[in-house]
């Protein structure tokens, strides 16, 4: 699904019109709906700062708007093949049905994907058990990893800044 289709999906999910979303993101009221229509139709592609602004207003992660193009099953299959190459995703048979699996021993990327899938499964199980609402589940998915509590997410400072701080601390001794 292209960026424009994701914008449209979340806009409709939030009950917003193109004009409303366009004016909220800063377009003049006169042309706000036209600009949003161009994004949604794919005739224009929002730049990174615009994608971030749209995501903020739609209350989703910018990553939720910029997903791989999976409009056809062939495109989806090639996306899955890429996941096999990059993350060790495999297809197995469980109870006569194909199931996708990740072997965390296949490397760091596979391990991270495995942990992420486990966190997703935990939230899906809570939804199935009635512990959380569909709204809470969707909020977790669309803002991932912001609301993921299964592990600690930390922002890492750039190496140059880290080196400078280390040097300053050594000088202070």
């Amino acid at each position: 699904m292209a960026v424009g289709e994701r914008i449209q999906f979340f806009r409709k999910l939030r009950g917003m019109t193109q004009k409303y979303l366009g004016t909220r993101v800063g377009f003049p009221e006169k042309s706000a709906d036209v600009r949003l229509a161009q994004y949604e139709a794919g005739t224009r592609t929002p730049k990174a700062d615009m994608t971030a602004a749209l995501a903020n207003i739609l209350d989703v992660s910018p990553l939720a708007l910029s997903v791989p193009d999976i409009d056809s099953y062939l495109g989806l299959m090639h996306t899955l093949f890429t996941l096999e190459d990059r993350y060790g995703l495999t297809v197995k048979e469980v109870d006569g049905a194909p199931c996708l699996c990740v072997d965390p021993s296949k490397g760091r990327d596979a391990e991270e994907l495995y942990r992420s899938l486990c966190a997703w499964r935990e939230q899906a199980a809570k939804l199935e058990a009635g512990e959380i609402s569909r709204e809470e589940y969707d909020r977790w998915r669309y803002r991932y990893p912001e609301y993921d509590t299964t592990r600690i997410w930390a922002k890492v400072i750039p190496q140059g800044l880290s080196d400078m701080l280390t040097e300053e601390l050594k000088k202070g001794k």
Side-chain angles (χ1 to χ4, degrees), residues 6 10 12 52-54 61 65 69 71 74-75 78 82 85 95 98-99 130 144 151 159 164 166 168:
R6 297 296 288 172
F10 287 113
K12 288 182 175 182
L54 287 163
S61 165
L65 295 180
D69 189 3
D71 290 335
L74 292 175
H78 283 279
T82 301
D85 294 338
D95 296 329
C99 293
Y144 183 82
R151 45 192 167 144
Q159 186 64 47
M164 182 185 77
T166 302
E168 290 300 316

Side-chain angles (χ1 to χ4, degrees), residues 86-167:
R86 171 92 194 246
Y87 296 98
L89 186 72
T90 59
V91 63
K92 300 190 187 256
E93 187 175 315
V94 177
D95 296 329
C99 293
L100 298 175
C101 301
V102 177
D103 180 354
S105 70
K106 297 286 184 183
R108 181 154 175 75
D109 288 340
E111 184 180 339
E112 288 300 319
L113 178 59
Y114 181 81
R115 287 183 187 163
S116 297
L117 291 173
C118 287
W120 181 16
R121 180 63 201 133
E122 181 180 301
Q123 293 303 308
K126 286 180 181 179
L127 176 65
E128 291 165 7
E131 295 173 24
I132 61 173
S133 68
R134 181 67 195 202
E135 184 179 308
E136 290 169 310
Y137 175 71
D138 285 345
R139 185 168 176 80
W140 183 91
R141 292 188 313 143
Y142 300 146
R143 297 297 300 221
Y144 183 82
E146 186 178 341
Y147 295 119
D148 182 12
T149 58
T150 60
R151 45 192 167 144
I152 298 170
W153 295 89
K155 292 191 179 189
V156 178
I157 62 172
Q159 186 64 47
L161 180 57
S162 175
D163 293 344
M164 182 185 77
L165 290 171
T166 302
E167 285 301 313

Side-chain angles (χ1 to χ4, degrees), residues 52-70:
L54 287 163
N56 185 48
I57 294 165
L58 293 168
D59 193 28
V60 298
S61 165
L63 296 172
L65 295 180
S66 55
V67 295
D69 189 3
I70 55 172

Side-chain angles (χ1 to χ4, degrees), residues 1-8 21-22 25 27 34-56 58 62 64-67:
M1 192 177 275
V3 173
E5 290 174 289
R6 297 296 288 172
I7 292 168
Q8 182 181 51
L21 180 55
V25 82
F27 295 133
V34 174
R35 288 292 297 271
L36 255 292
Q38 291 171 335
Y39 289 152
E40 290 180 4
T43 56
R44 292 185 79 147
T45 303
K47 293 182 178 165
D49 60 334
M50 178 57 66
T51 300
L54 287 163
N56 185 48
L58 293 168
L65 295 180
S66 55
V67 295

